[in-house]
């Protein structure tokens, strides 16, 4: 039996596998948030363009005539200019399809409410909610333009506007029944129409979010399908490559070209078995793939009767699949040549990963330099091999 340092190896993300659920979940949440935010910004940008046109058309068409004919007070003219200036200020961001800054939205709302209060204060007692009271219907559209994406604040501002207008009306004198009825019709018609715009905007926003989520889900499904197909192709290519080296060996054994009793033939068979076992282990979903693949190579050697000791030190580090193949390839070759004993060690640090083996093979396995450096030396009946990968 092998003497191994057993312990808990925390999992790490492996970018070679398409079924990493934790990474996919966090990526999915982020993409959904981005899609929803983009859809919301698009809807509000379009609605604000419409509201900008509405306020720009309604204010001069419905307000200038009553202002000049029915309320020539200078303060009313100043109050009329304030919403127009707020509209021009909002246009700086609206035409570029950008959200209004908080200071512009809140400051503009306070300015138009104050302008409405000033314009209402200049009205005669019997002119409230009539043609001369242009500010009541107009200010609500400015509030929609300023606070459409802040519904609670918008509703509070609309309520404050209504309460302020009604309060000023009642303070101007006791209205009779006809005036109350006329005022009720004006309040109901203006308020319901503007609230309908708010409801329509929420409906459009929900629809846009759902459409964005459906499109994003389709894109994610297509991406997952493409990754799965690519992963399957890589898997088939890997199996085909190893089987391409194994099938000639099996054919030579079947045709009698190779003698199973020959030491070199047995070593080639052991190497092929170790490579295939490591390839199977490569596709297992385990917390520590490198230790899993090294252990798979050790198990094949143990089944041949080789006493193998395995020592693992260091915390797990992410190792790409192709690098793991280069690290465990020399290990499989050394273990397949071992006769009775072998010692395997796996060392992981923050800067490198080493896989070393000492076996009573007595054969030269060769060296290599590149992304994974392989050093090998023969000392009498023993062979020492070390594969090193530098993480940085």
């Amino acid at each position: 039996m092998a003497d191994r340092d057993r312990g808990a190896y925390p999992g790490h993300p492996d970018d070679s596998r398409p079924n990493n659920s934790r990474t996919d979940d966090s990526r999915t949440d982020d993409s959904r948030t981005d899609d929803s935010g983009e859809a919301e910004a698009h809807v509000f940008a379009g609605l604000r363009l419409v509201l900008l046109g509405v306020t720009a058309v309604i204010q001069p068409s419905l307000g200038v005539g009553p202002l000049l004919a029915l309320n020539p007070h200078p303060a009313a003219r100043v109050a009329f200019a304030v919403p127009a200036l707020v509209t021009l200020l909002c246009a700086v961001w609206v035409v570029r399809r950008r959200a209004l800054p908080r200071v512009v939205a809140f400051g503009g709302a306070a300015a138009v409410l104050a302008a409405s209060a000033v314009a209402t204060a200049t009205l005669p007692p019997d002119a409230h909610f009539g043609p001369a009271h242009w500010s009541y219907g107009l200010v609500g559209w400015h509030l929609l333009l300023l606070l459409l994406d802040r519904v609670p604040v918008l509703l509070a501002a609309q309520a404050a506007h209504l309460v302020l207008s009604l309060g000023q009306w009642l303070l101007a004198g006791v209205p009779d029944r006809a005036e109350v009825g006329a005022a009720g019709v004006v309040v109901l018609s203006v308020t319901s129409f503007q609230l309908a715009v708010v409801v329509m905007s929420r409906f459009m926003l929900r629809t846009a979010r759902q459409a964005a989520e459906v499109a994003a889900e389709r894109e994610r499904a297509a991406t997952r399908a493409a990754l799965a197909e690519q992963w399957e192709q890589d898997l088939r290519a890997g199996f085909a490559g190893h089987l391409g080296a194994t099938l000639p060996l099996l054919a030579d054994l079947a045709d009698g070209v190779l003698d199973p009793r020959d030491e070199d033939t047995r070593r080639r068979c052991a190497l092929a078995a170790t490579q295939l076992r490591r390839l199977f282990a490569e596709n297992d979903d385990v917390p520590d793939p490198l230790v899993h693949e090294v252990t798979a190579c050790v198990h094949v050697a143990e089944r041949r009767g080789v006493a193998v000791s395995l020592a693992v030190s260091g915390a797990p580090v992410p190792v790409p699949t192709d690098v793991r193949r280069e690290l465990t390839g020399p290990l499989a070759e050394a273990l397949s040549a071992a006769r009775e004993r072998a010692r395997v060690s796996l060392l992981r640090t923050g800067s490198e990963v080493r896989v070393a083996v000492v076996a009573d093979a007595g054969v030269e396995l060769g060296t290599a330099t590149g992304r994974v450096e392989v050093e090998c030396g023969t000392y009498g009946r023993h062979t020492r091999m070390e594969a090193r990968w530098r993480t940085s």
Side-chain angles (χ1 to χ4, degrees):
M1 292 294 294
D3 181 16
R4 299 179 180 85
D5 295 339
R6 301 185 181 273
Y9 298 99
H12 62 273
D14 186 355
D15 54 4
S16 66
R17 290 182 170 86
N19 56 349
N20 191 334
S21 59
R22 181 177 301 177
T23 304
D24 288 345
D25 291 342
S26 61
R27 189 184 302 115
T28 299
D29 294 338
D30 293 341
S31 62
R32 286 178 179 174
T33 302
D34 294 340
D35 294 336
S36 299
E38 184 177 355
E40 181 177 350
H42 181 73
V43 170
F44 284 132
L47 289 175
R48 274 205 173 94
L49 279 174
V50 176
L51 290 172
L52 180 66
V54 169
T55 54
V57 171
I58 287 181
Q59 179 161 358
S61 62
L62 300 183
V64 173
L67 175 67
L68 298 178
L70 303 176
N71 191 2
H73 197 285
R77 298 182 180 183
V78 174
F80 183 83
V82 170
L85 294 176
V86 171
T87 301
L88 292 176
L89 180 62
C90 293
V92 176
W93 287 272
V94 173
V95 296
R96 293 184 295 173
R97 303 181 69 85
R98 294 184 179 179
L100 295 178
R102 183 186 298 269
V103 63
V104 173
F106 292 168
V112 296
L113 287 175
S116 176
V118 171
T120 304
T122 62
L123 292 174
D126 57 346
H128 289 266
F129 300 106
H133 198 182
W134 54 264
S135 63
Y136 178 74
L138 179 62
V139 168
W141 291 105
H142 286 85
L143 293 176
L144 284 172
L145 175 63
L146 291 163
L147 303 172
L148 185 63
D149 55 344
R150 300 175 173 90
V151 175
V153 181
L154 172 61
L155 296 179
Q158 292 277 19
H161 180 221
L162 176 60
V163 170
L164 184 61
S165 299
L166 291 176
Q168 290 179 295
W169 177 46
L170 296 176
L171 291 176
V174 180
D176 57 21
R177 183 174 301 178
E179 291 176 343
V180 172
V185 171
V186 173
V187 170
L188 181 61
S189 59
V190 172
T191 304
S192 60
F193 191 65
Q194 293 176 352
L195 290 180
V197 175
V198 178
V199 174
M200 182 186 66
S201 69
R202 306 314 296 180
F203 175 77
M204 294 177 60
L205 180 60
R206 184 180 65 178
T207 303
R209 285 175 176 172
Q210 291 175 349
E213 290 176 0
V214 170
E217 183 60 32
R218 289 178 179 175
E219 183 179 355
R220 287 190 293 268
T223 302
R224 288 194 295 266
L227 290 175
E229 183 178 358
Q230 183 63 42
W231 180 75
E232 183 178 0
Q233 291 178 355
D234 294 342
L235 181 62
R236 290 179 177 178
F239 277 111
H242 285 284
L243 290 177
T246 304
L247 290 178
L249 175 63
L250 297 178
D252 290 342
L253 288 172
D255 295 339
V257 177
L258 297 178
D259 185 2
R261 294 169 295 181
D262 184 70
E263 183 67 23
D264 184 65
T265 301
R266 297 174 66 180
R267 185 178 66 83
R268 290 177 58 189
C269 291
L271 176 59
T274 306
Q275 289 175 338
L276 288 176
R277 180 65 183 87
R278 192 214 62 80
L279 182 62
F280 296 148
E282 177 184 302
N283 298 283
D284 294 338
D285 189 9
V286 294
D288 197 333
L290 181 58
V291 171
H292 184 62
E293 294 172 19
V294 170
T295 304
C297 298
V298 170
H299 284 168
V300 176
E302 289 178 336
R303 295 188 64 178
R304 293 194 299 109
V306 179
V308 184
S309 63
L310 171 62
V312 179
S313 60
V317 296
V319 182
T321 302
D322 52 349
V323 175
R324 296 201 307 269
R325 292 173 186 168
E326 296 182 24
L327 286 171
T328 55
L331 170 66
E333 191 173 355
L335 289 177
S336 64
R339 298 183 178 92
E340 296 180 359
R341 293 183 176 277
R343 185 171 68 252
V344 179
S345 60
L346 172 60
L347 172 63
R348 295 173 292 191
T349 65
S351 59
E352 65 179 7
V353 177
R354 293 187 182 184
V355 177
V357 58
V358 177
D360 56 351
V363 295
E364 183 66 39
L365 301 179
T367 60
T369 58
R371 183 168 51 176
V372 174
E373 301 176 2
V374 180
E375 297 179 358
C376 184
T378 302
Y379 309 94
R381 288 174 48 86
H382 292 82
T383 298
R384 183 183 184 277
M385 184 282 304
E386 181 180 273
R388 181 189 303 110
W389 174 62
R390 302 186 186 278
T391 58
S392 59

